[in-house]
Amino acid sequence: MTLSRRAQSISPSPTLALTAKARALRAKGIDVIGFGAGEPDFDTPDHIKKEAVKAISEGFTKYTPTSGIPELKEAICKKFKDDNGLDYDPSQVVVSCGAKHSLYNIMQVLCDEGDEVIVPAPYWVSYTEQVNVAGAKPVIIDTKEDTGFKITPKMLGNHISDRTKLLVMNSPSNPTGAVYSRQELEAIARIAVDRKIWVISDEIYEKLIYDDAKHVSIASLGSEIKARTLVVNGVSKTYSMTGWRIGYAAGDKQVIGAISNLQDHSTSNPTSISQRAALAALTSPPEFARQMAQEFKKRRDYMVETVNRIPGLSCIMPKGAFYAFVNISGLMGKAFKEKTVNTSMGLTELLLAEANVVVIPGGPFGADDHIRLSYAVSMDHIVTGLERMHQVIKQMK
Ligand code: PMP
Ligand code: GLU
């Protein structure tokens, strides 16, 4: 059997793989603590579940329009208006099977072979894979703690070429928790408009934001940048609905129309029942996400403070999402029981074998001197898991 070049270029998602590994070990009775979780540990709110049950009882179980039911698209437009100050017509919105699917579709309809897509690193693992599948080339801008893991206008300018098609922005960021300010986004928007590049703004963590940070959608910064931005969002993180698979994209009518055509021939509509549940989610008061964010903030504070007390580890305070992106460069070249750590995967394997703790290596996020720890896990797990890590790491020489 010969796989297509396209298929050969795809690697499995390390975030999903390691989360599955933690689950499998736990099912075998092994006491592992998993810091892999890319999803809130809260249950989907009851009123959302009830709406799905109602949809089933009413027989709302057939195909819907490919781009989503009109009521849901209306609710999404209202959300954009209320939360982000963005005016979209329902014809500028497409509902997909998760934000991941929305992002995939955008890459498919905008990118040609040889196009370049600028992806600031550290990046969420799926962006570069999706660019590769679309036949385009990811152009990485490396960022570090010194700029708060954010790109500067100068860095962006230096990476734009005649082939640049797209820039991928993700604020709040997975994995770093970085949140761009209005002023920072204005500078980036100016360059995107001047250099005529498209922007994807992945805003899936918009409601999980802490301290004085404010979420600003780059698309809201003027009509020119709005015209070339595709805003991506979804219900997965805000309403703890990762399994329901509803995400959406909004922007240029022609691009959205092309995505709808692509969905016509790939997935058709996202699940009818999940669409009704998403409608209930988007039309409910904002308390649920606020409460979640309050709880995550407590866990974040404890995690970041504790990590910074472990010799060899350091972590800047994330302002959004639910990940601590921990610098491990102080451990590189050190060994535990003759196992020397030279990569983020090396440390991940060591911590799994010796501490029964699952972390996510930074390598697949374009940052091999980091690991990602999710704080969307219970405080008990955070306390125990970090203590176990400390016990192993303090013996590394
Ligand atoms: N963007 C980012 C940055 C994410 O972390 C995720 C989480 N998987 C997604 C998009 C996709 O979310 P979903 O497909 O569940 O809507
Ligand atoms: N976005 C989450 C994460 O980064 C979920 C897993 C995935 O879809 O990659 O862990």
Side-chain angles (χ1 to χ4, degrees), residues 13 15-16 36-39 100 124-126 174 205 237 323 365 372:
S13 162
T15 48
L16 294 177
E39 57 187 352
K100 193 184 269 186
W124 179 46
V125 293
S126 293
N174 173 9
Y205 293 100
K237 317 284 173 176
Y323 310 104
F365 297 82
R372 190 190 79 174

PDB file of all heavy atoms in Angstrom, residues 13 15-16 36-39 100 124-126 174 205 237 323 365 372, ligand 2:
ATOM      1  N   SER A  13      -1.614  13.781  16.408  1.00  0.00           N
ATOM      2  CA  SER A  13      -1.604  14.921  17.329  1.00  0.00           C
ATOM      3  C   SER A  13      -1.019  14.482  18.674  1.00  0.00           C
ATOM      4  O   SER A  13      -1.559  13.595  19.325  1.00  0.00           O
ATOM      5  CB  SER A  13      -3.032  15.441  17.529  1.00  0.00           C
ATOM      6  OG  SER A  13      -3.073  16.228  18.693  1.00  0.00           O
ATOM      7  N   THR A  15      -0.934  16.065  21.436  1.00  0.00           N
ATOM      8  CA  THR A  15      -1.787  16.436  22.564  1.00  0.00           C
ATOM      9  C   THR A  15      -2.837  15.355  22.780  1.00  0.00           C
ATOM     10  O   THR A  15      -3.068  14.896  23.892  1.00  0.00           O
ATOM     11  CB  THR A  15      -2.478  17.782  22.300  1.00  0.00           C
ATOM     12  OG1 THR A  15      -3.049  17.760  21.001  1.00  0.00           O
ATOM     13  CG2 THR A  15      -1.517  18.938  22.405  1.00  0.00           C
ATOM     14  N   LEU A  16      -3.449  14.931  21.676  1.00  0.00           N
ATOM     15  CA  LEU A  16      -4.479  13.896  21.785  1.00  0.00           C
ATOM     16  C   LEU A  16      -3.851  12.560  22.187  1.00  0.00           C
ATOM     17  O   LEU A  16      -4.393  11.828  23.018  1.00  0.00           O
ATOM     18  CB  LEU A  16      -5.236  13.758  20.459  1.00  0.00           C
ATOM     19  CG  LEU A  16      -6.073  14.978  20.033  1.00  0.00           C
ATOM     20  CD1 LEU A  16      -6.717  14.743  18.668  1.00  0.00           C
ATOM     21  CD2 LEU A  16      -7.164  15.274  21.061  1.00  0.00           C
ATOM     22  N   GLY A  36      -2.110  16.734  30.613  1.00  0.00           N
ATOM     23  CA  GLY A  36      -2.250  16.888  29.165  1.00  0.00           C
ATOM     24  C   GLY A  36      -3.528  17.605  28.758  1.00  0.00           C
ATOM     25  O   GLY A  36      -3.589  18.229  27.699  1.00  0.00           O
ATOM     26  N   ALA A  37      -4.542  17.530  29.634  1.00  0.00           N
ATOM     27  CA  ALA A  37      -5.905  17.950  29.274  1.00  0.00           C
ATOM     28  C   ALA A  37      -6.007  19.233  28.455  1.00  0.00           C
ATOM     29  O   ALA A  37      -5.628  20.309  28.917  1.00  0.00           O
ATOM     30  CB  ALA A  37      -6.745  18.103  30.535  1.00  0.00           C
ATOM     31  N   GLY A  38      -6.557  19.089  27.259  1.00  0.00           N
ATOM     32  CA  GLY A  38      -6.806  20.256  26.414  1.00  0.00           C
ATOM     33  C   GLY A  38      -8.266  20.639  26.471  1.00  0.00           C
ATOM     34  O   GLY A  38      -8.797  21.236  25.536  1.00  0.00           O
ATOM     35  N   GLU A  39      -8.918  20.288  27.591  1.00  0.00           N
ATOM     36  CA  GLU A  39     -10.348  20.594  27.708  1.00  0.00           C
ATOM     37  C   GLU A  39     -10.685  20.859  29.168  1.00  0.00           C
ATOM     38  O   GLU A  39     -10.042  20.315  30.068  1.00  0.00           O
ATOM     39  CB  GLU A  39     -11.190  19.435  27.164  1.00  0.00           C
ATOM     40  CG  GLU A  39     -10.926  18.109  27.832  1.00  0.00           C
ATOM     41  CD  GLU A  39     -11.643  16.962  27.151  1.00  0.00           C
ATOM     42  OE1 GLU A  39     -12.460  17.191  26.253  1.00  0.00           O
ATOM     43  OE2 GLU A  39     -11.366  15.810  27.544  1.00  0.00           O
ATOM     44  N   LYS A 100     -11.424  23.276  15.068  1.00  0.00           N
ATOM     45  CA  LYS A 100     -10.328  22.625  14.333  1.00  0.00           C
ATOM     46  C   LYS A 100     -10.736  22.427  12.875  1.00  0.00           C
ATOM     47  O   LYS A 100      -9.944  22.651  11.950  1.00  0.00           O
ATOM     48  CB  LYS A 100     -10.023  21.275  14.996  1.00  0.00           C
ATOM     49  CG  LYS A 100      -8.728  20.647  14.555  1.00  0.00           C
ATOM     50  CD  LYS A 100      -8.551  19.277  15.191  1.00  0.00           C
ATOM     51  CE  LYS A 100      -7.808  19.344  16.505  1.00  0.00           C
ATOM     52  NZ  LYS A 100      -7.493  18.020  17.067  1.00  0.00           N
ATOM     53  N   TRP A 124      -0.062  26.218  18.396  1.00  0.00           N
ATOM     54  CA  TRP A 124      -0.870  25.010  18.624  1.00  0.00           C
ATOM     55  C   TRP A 124      -0.534  24.008  17.528  1.00  0.00           C
ATOM     56  O   TRP A 124      -0.430  24.380  16.341  1.00  0.00           O
ATOM     57  CB  TRP A 124      -2.366  25.364  18.607  1.00  0.00           C
ATOM     58  CG  TRP A 124      -3.252  24.173  18.804  1.00  0.00           C
ATOM     59  CD1 TRP A 124      -3.107  23.188  19.751  1.00  0.00           C
ATOM     60  CD2 TRP A 124      -4.401  23.830  18.042  1.00  0.00           C
ATOM     61  NE1 TRP A 124      -4.113  22.261  19.623  1.00  0.00           N
ATOM     62  CE2 TRP A 124      -4.914  22.634  18.585  1.00  0.00           C
ATOM     63  CE3 TRP A 124      -5.054  24.419  16.957  1.00  0.00           C
ATOM     64  CZ2 TRP A 124      -6.044  22.017  18.070  1.00  0.00           C
ATOM     65  CZ3 TRP A 124      -6.179  23.807  16.449  1.00  0.00           C
ATOM     66  CH2 TRP A 124      -6.669  22.612  17.004  1.00  0.00           C
ATOM     67  N   VAL A 125      -0.376  22.742  17.948  1.00  0.00           N
ATOM     68  CA  VAL A 125       0.174  21.701  17.077  1.00  0.00           C
ATOM     69  C   VAL A 125      -0.521  21.532  15.728  1.00  0.00           C
ATOM     70  O   VAL A 125       0.115  21.156  14.745  1.00  0.00           O
ATOM     71  CB  VAL A 125       0.185  20.340  17.804  1.00  0.00           C
ATOM     72  CG1 VAL A 125       1.159  20.358  18.962  1.00  0.00           C
ATOM     73  CG2 VAL A 125      -1.207  19.961  18.319  1.00  0.00           C
ATOM     74  N   SER A 126      -1.816  21.805  15.667  1.00  0.00           N
ATOM     75  CA  SER A 126      -2.534  21.499  14.423  1.00  0.00           C
ATOM     76  C   SER A 126      -2.335  22.542  13.315  1.00  0.00           C
ATOM     77  O   SER A 126      -2.569  22.237  12.150  1.00  0.00           O
ATOM     78  CB  SER A 126      -4.031  21.324  14.696  1.00  0.00           C
ATOM     79  OG  SER A 126      -4.243  20.176  15.478  1.00  0.00           O
ATOM     80  N   ASN A 174      -2.847  29.048  22.942  1.00  0.00           N
ATOM     81  CA  ASN A 174      -2.458  27.701  23.321  1.00  0.00           C
ATOM     82  C   ASN A 174      -1.167  27.455  22.567  1.00  0.00           C
ATOM     83  O   ASN A 174      -1.194  27.543  21.331  1.00  0.00           O
ATOM     84  CB  ASN A 174      -3.537  26.697  22.868  1.00  0.00           C
ATOM     85  CG  ASN A 174      -3.140  25.257  23.080  1.00  0.00           C
ATOM     86  OD1 ASN A 174      -2.143  24.976  23.705  1.00  0.00           O
ATOM     87  ND2 ASN A 174      -3.948  24.337  22.545  1.00  0.00           N
ATOM     88  N   TYR A 205     -10.184  30.630  23.022  1.00  0.00           N
ATOM     89  CA  TYR A 205     -10.029  30.797  24.481  1.00  0.00           C
ATOM     90  C   TYR A 205     -10.461  32.183  24.957  1.00  0.00           C
ATOM     91  O   TYR A 205     -10.086  32.602  26.058  1.00  0.00           O
ATOM     92  CB  TYR A 205      -8.569  30.541  24.884  1.00  0.00           C
ATOM     93  CG  TYR A 205      -8.143  29.109  24.683  1.00  0.00           C
ATOM     94  CD1 TYR A 205      -7.400  28.722  23.555  1.00  0.00           C
ATOM     95  CD2 TYR A 205      -8.493  28.117  25.595  1.00  0.00           C
ATOM     96  CE1 TYR A 205      -7.021  27.399  23.355  1.00  0.00           C
ATOM     97  CE2 TYR A 205      -8.118  26.795  25.398  1.00  0.00           C
ATOM     98  CZ  TYR A 205      -7.391  26.445  24.282  1.00  0.00           C
ATOM     99  OH  TYR A 205      -7.025  25.128  24.094  1.00  0.00           O
ATOM    100  N   LYS A 237     -14.495  25.280  24.453  1.00  0.00           N
ATOM    101  CA  LYS A 237     -13.813  25.680  25.696  1.00  0.00           C
ATOM    102  C   LYS A 237     -14.748  26.521  26.568  1.00  0.00           C
ATOM    103  O   LYS A 237     -14.804  26.337  27.775  1.00  0.00           O
ATOM    104  CB  LYS A 237     -12.539  26.467  25.381  1.00  0.00           C
ATOM    105  CG  LYS A 237     -11.706  25.899  24.248  1.00  0.00           C
ATOM    106  CD  LYS A 237     -10.898  24.663  24.605  1.00  0.00           C
ATOM    107  CE  LYS A 237     -10.254  24.095  23.356  1.00  0.00           C
ATOM    108  NZ  LYS A 237      -9.385  22.981  23.534  1.00  0.00           N
ATOM    109  N   TYR A 323      -3.202  26.786  30.211  1.00  0.00           N
ATOM    110  CA  TYR A 323      -1.927  26.076  30.135  1.00  0.00           C
ATOM    111  C   TYR A 323      -0.803  26.908  30.738  1.00  0.00           C
ATOM    112  O   TYR A 323      -0.770  28.130  30.551  1.00  0.00           O
ATOM    113  CB  TYR A 323      -1.565  25.792  28.679  1.00  0.00           C
ATOM    114  CG  TYR A 323      -2.673  25.144  27.874  1.00  0.00           C
ATOM    115  CD1 TYR A 323      -3.423  25.894  26.962  1.00  0.00           C
ATOM    116  CD2 TYR A 323      -2.972  23.791  28.023  1.00  0.00           C
ATOM    117  CE1 TYR A 323      -4.448  25.301  26.221  1.00  0.00           C
ATOM    118  CE2 TYR A 323      -3.993  23.204  27.280  1.00  0.00           C
ATOM    119  CZ  TYR A 323      -4.727  23.958  26.383  1.00  0.00           C
ATOM    120  OH  TYR A 323      -5.724  23.373  25.654  1.00  0.00           O
ATOM    121  N   PHE A 365       5.120  21.979  19.520  1.00  0.00           N
ATOM    122  CA  PHE A 365       4.597  23.351  19.492  1.00  0.00           C
ATOM    123  C   PHE A 365       5.673  24.320  18.982  1.00  0.00           C
ATOM    124  O   PHE A 365       5.517  25.534  19.071  1.00  0.00           O
ATOM    125  CB  PHE A 365       4.183  23.804  20.900  1.00  0.00           C
ATOM    126  CG  PHE A 365       3.062  23.024  21.525  1.00  0.00           C
ATOM    127  CD1 PHE A 365       3.294  21.812  22.157  1.00  0.00           C
ATOM    128  CD2 PHE A 365       1.760  23.509  21.491  1.00  0.00           C
ATOM    129  CE1 PHE A 365       2.260  21.086  22.755  1.00  0.00           C
ATOM    130  CE2 PHE A 365       0.717  22.803  22.091  1.00  0.00           C
ATOM    131  CZ  PHE A 365       0.968  21.595  22.712  1.00  0.00           C
ATOM    132  N   ARG A 372       4.314  21.684  28.288  1.00  0.00           N
ATOM    133  CA  ARG A 372       3.031  22.336  28.585  1.00  0.00           C
ATOM    134  C   ARG A 372       2.307  21.564  29.682  1.00  0.00           C
ATOM    135  O   ARG A 372       2.168  20.343  29.587  1.00  0.00           O
ATOM    136  CB  ARG A 372       2.164  22.376  27.319  1.00  0.00           C
ATOM    137  CG  ARG A 372       0.909  23.248  27.486  1.00  0.00           C
ATOM    138  CD  ARG A 372      -0.050  23.094  26.321  1.00  0.00           C
ATOM    139  NE  ARG A 372      -0.834  21.870  26.443  1.00  0.00           N
ATOM    140  CZ  ARG A 372      -1.826  21.531  25.627  1.00  0.00           C
ATOM    141  NH1 ARG A 372      -2.145  22.316  24.604  1.00  0.00           N
ATOM    142  NH2 ARG A 372      -2.503  20.399  25.805  1.00  0.00           N
TER     143      ARG A 372
HETATM  144  N1  GLU B   2      -6.633  21.902  21.909  1.00  0.00           N
HETATM  145  C1  GLU B   2      -6.437  20.898  22.890  1.00  0.00           C
HETATM  146  C2  GLU B   2      -4.971  20.742  23.196  1.00  0.00           C
HETATM  147  O1  GLU B   2      -4.173  21.455  22.675  1.00  0.00           O
HETATM  148  C3  GLU B   2      -7.147  19.619  22.580  1.00  0.00           C
HETATM  149  C4  GLU B   2      -6.378  18.567  21.855  1.00  0.00           C
HETATM  150  C5  GLU B   2      -6.274  18.860  20.395  1.00  0.00           C
HETATM  151  O2  GLU B   2      -7.300  18.982  19.750  1.00  0.00           O
HETATM  152  O3  GLU B   2      -5.117  18.992  19.955  1.00  0.00           O
HETATM  153  O4  GLU B   2      -4.614  19.930  24.009  1.00  0.00           O
END
